[in-house]
Amino acid sequence: MKKQINIGLLGAGTVGGGVILVLKQNAAAISHRVGVPVKIKKVYARHPEKATNLDPDLAVTDNVDELLNDPEIDIIVELMGREQPAKDYMTAALKAGKNVVTANKDVIAKFGNELLGEAAKQQKDFMFEAAVAGGIPIIRPLKACLAANNITSIMGIINGTTNYMLTKMLQNHEDFDKVLKEAQDKGYAESDPTADIGGLDAARKLVILASIAFNTRIDLKDVYVEGIEKINIRDIEYAQELGYVIKLLGIAKNDPKTGISVRVHPTMLPMNHPLATVNDVYNAIYVTGDIVGETMFFGKGAGRMPTASAVCSDIIECSRNILHDCNGRIGCTCYEEKHLCSIENIYSPSYIRLLVQDKPGVLAAIASAFGSQNVSLNNVIQKKKVGNLAEIVVITYGVSEYNLRMAETTLNGLPVVEKISNVIRVEDNTLE
Amino acid sequence: MKKQINIGLLGAGTVGGGVILVLKQNAAAISHRVGVPVKIKKVYARHPEKATNLDPDLAVTDNVDELLNDPEIDIIVELMGREQPAKDYMTAALKAGKNVVTANKDVIAKFGNELLGEAAKQQKDFMFEAAVAGGIPIIRPLKACLAANNITSIMGIINGTTNYMLTKMLQNHEDFDKVLKEAQDKGYAESDPTADIGGLDAARKLVILASIAFNTRIDLKDVYVEGIEKINIRDIEYAQELGYVIKLLGIAKNDPKTGISVRVHPTMLPMNHPLATVNDVYNAIYVTGDIVGETMFFGKGAGRMPTASAVCSDIIECSRNILHDCNGRIGCTCYEEKHLCSIENIYSPSYIRLLVQDKPGVLAAIASAFGSQNVSLNNVIQKKKVGNLAEIVVITYGVSEYNLRMAETTLNGLPVVEKISNVIRVEDNTLE
């Protein structure tokens, strides 16, 4: 029986520093729960003082091989971020017969399959609970707690920056640019916020969730991505009037008829939906299974300590596996051939905001344009005057993306239509 | 390597029948996820047709020893309910070297320690994810996903019957007796609803959650329990006016200074609290850890299929352990001496509804009575006339139970106070 679990930590930045703090602060509890102490044997860091400022007893090196080749190190914890050299180091660690824990969503989304394959070959653990939704337990719940279910749908608020911005736009009636500035000032948005705002960050996480949920390998290029750049304060206010809130959702659905659809886009949700009240930088993942029905997992999706909580839970689980000699107990769960639904076949109600000429017969012309493309309307509302034009908001019943786009083309051809200002998908069972 | 996992199922009632259905319906997925097929080898049931109606191929017996003594059976799944003979059968199964999965909260709350001890001795699994909050993953998340945390607080809506009733009282402005009748008609409340309404069912689940969260053995007698019998439609309406909703919460807190408090009682929650929007028969458990911060787990807390989902997740995890020869991987996690906080030291804001004489100086007399017992008031509102009396609602700042009770005694001694109609604790950080 081993007397201690030894960790080699790659990276002592925000999350790496958090892990150093947690393993020190809660050492007694973790030791009890694992059965033996869990210690960081060595840290690989470019700036050694980042590690030693948090725990002066730590051994730090700038030579990664000292960790990868140390036979006493049981688990390599990779918290360097970015694709390379993180991916190569993890591969080397697995090949050297070590278990690997990481929070690196970029690497998992792109190379998860390869790394899980290597882990299976070596019968080692490759764990990444922290890669999606920070402190919220979701990978392990999907792989274990909901494993009796065929998951039919995942809808997640999995990007804190955009959720903070949309919350502030709604609560303070402030426009996009102002809340973005505010988010940057508070450190919730990066100076280059493109990956968050454009939906790419959410798409990477969704790829990981969908692959696990549907037991098939989803790639980033399978994801349809729209960001929140086009969301106007008016859309938010109209949504509120209609009983909806706008959230940037990652949506992955598995429809036995049409296949798997995976998309990130702004979405209108009924105000009484459990995701609708998830505000600020909080994240939540709403999972529907054929047996369990609806479940939701809520918490902090980012930040040093929440993310460190998830990393350390993997360290604890991996340590338990080491002590019971069962690493690789749960490996890659992708055993299905994927069958993707083309974007044209994605079916959902929609909200359309249009600028039209303010004269009699316009509503009828618009309704007729929708009708010509088999789009049924639930609601057509003339909202307000904009100069000598009128703003109109339309809510459709469930419609295929193909028919919706045809309707947009038809509308753009109408002389009375000045422009289609925005189109936002609606998740509302009552309109399907 | 084993070619198949064999289950012995005790009980083919509501949940047992659900497990039969899940293992049949999702057999392919479960077989993939475990690595080998998982089959029910034999069912112990008093009414064999209950099992064979769901799956005609099942072998059924009324002799439990045929399961307990069958060396081919790997896991005994106990879904008979009640304390006995369920507890004796589980003990016998563990002693016979079998793993045990159960949904029996009564047995766990009372004999969990003993059964986990026997499981540890035998190096077998004893799992009970379904015993708390039905389909919601919470036991495994606490034992694994949040294992790096010292849990500071758990607040749970863990009884569907009472949550349904409180939701309907609020939504339909109906009184207690009417919604109880409605809940019984819909099958959400039993013909004898005492255990649900009185809080005992929630207390049993809270005992299990608190024991795991605080790594110490909490007993049912450690729990302070109040039910929802005294909740009046007026309390619900006043709460709404004040920005609160009333929920029956199981609350377990671990304060390093005063100790562990474990209680079930109606609680006013701010409307923007994530638990406040958990309605109808849904359950949710709000867990705060020192590292992760706030998390919440939401879903269906009861019903055949959600509960079967949890039971089958345990079966899958146990099967994985069997295949990797690591049963007993996570056993009993109670390693701390418990240090309970006496009820007098529990500290929280409170709502008090009083009936008083309708004359000048009454508010001052009441405020002074509170003040004499060191109870600070956040709000004193004269609500409405009731005959020639007046109803007054008071919200206090944080106050110890001891001081609150002293204040009640003082109030009862005032000639102007006709009666204290209700006292409800408030969970509101802004008042602490």
Side-chain angles (χ1 to χ4, degrees), chain B residues 132-144:
Chain B
V132 179
I136 307 173
I138 185 63
I139 305 289
R140 190 160 287 113
L142 284 175
K143 287 199 172 199

Side-chain angles (χ1 to χ4, degrees), chain A residues 26 33 143 145 147-150 215 282 290-291 294-296 298 305 309 313 317 320-321 326 329 335, chain B residues 26 33 143 145 147-150 215 282 290-291 294-296 298 309 313 317 320-321 326 329 335:
Chain A
N26 286 355
R33 288 164 198 176
K143 288 200 171 197
C145 308
N149 290 262
N150 287 311
N215 303 106
Y282 281 96
D290 62 345
I291 308 295
E294 300 86 11
T295 58
M296 190 173 82
F298 164 95
M305 295 315 264
S309 168
S313 78
E317 277 292 277
R320 286 168 168 161
N321 286 349
C326 59
R329 200 179 140 275
Y335 54 80
Chain B
N26 286 356
R33 290 165 196 176
K143 287 199 172 199
C145 308
N149 290 262
N150 287 311
N215 303 106
Y282 281 96
D290 62 346
I291 308 297
E294 300 86 13
T295 59
M296 189 174 82
F298 164 94
S309 168
S313 78
E317 277 292 277
R320 287 167 168 162
N321 286 350
C326 60
R329 200 179 141 274
Y335 54 80

Side-chain angles (χ1 to χ4, degrees), chain A residues 57 59 62 118 124 151 192 251 280 309 327 355 374 391 409 427 429:
Chain A
D57 299 335
D62 60 359
E118 189 58 41
K124 293 294 161 192
I151 303 297
D192 176 3
I251 301 178
D280 300 316
S309 168
N327 295 105
L355 212 51
N374 291 315
E391 191 156 67
T409 307
E427 279 289 330
N429 294 334

Side-chain angles (χ1 to χ4, degrees), chain B residues 339-357:
Chain B
H339 171 49
L340 291 174
C341 170
S342 75
I343 181 75
E344 284 77 22
N345 289 330
I346 289 174
Y347 193 84
S348 108
S350 279
Y351 153 103
I352 300 123
R353 176 163 61 90
L354 307 125
L355 212 52
V356 300
Q357 287 171 19

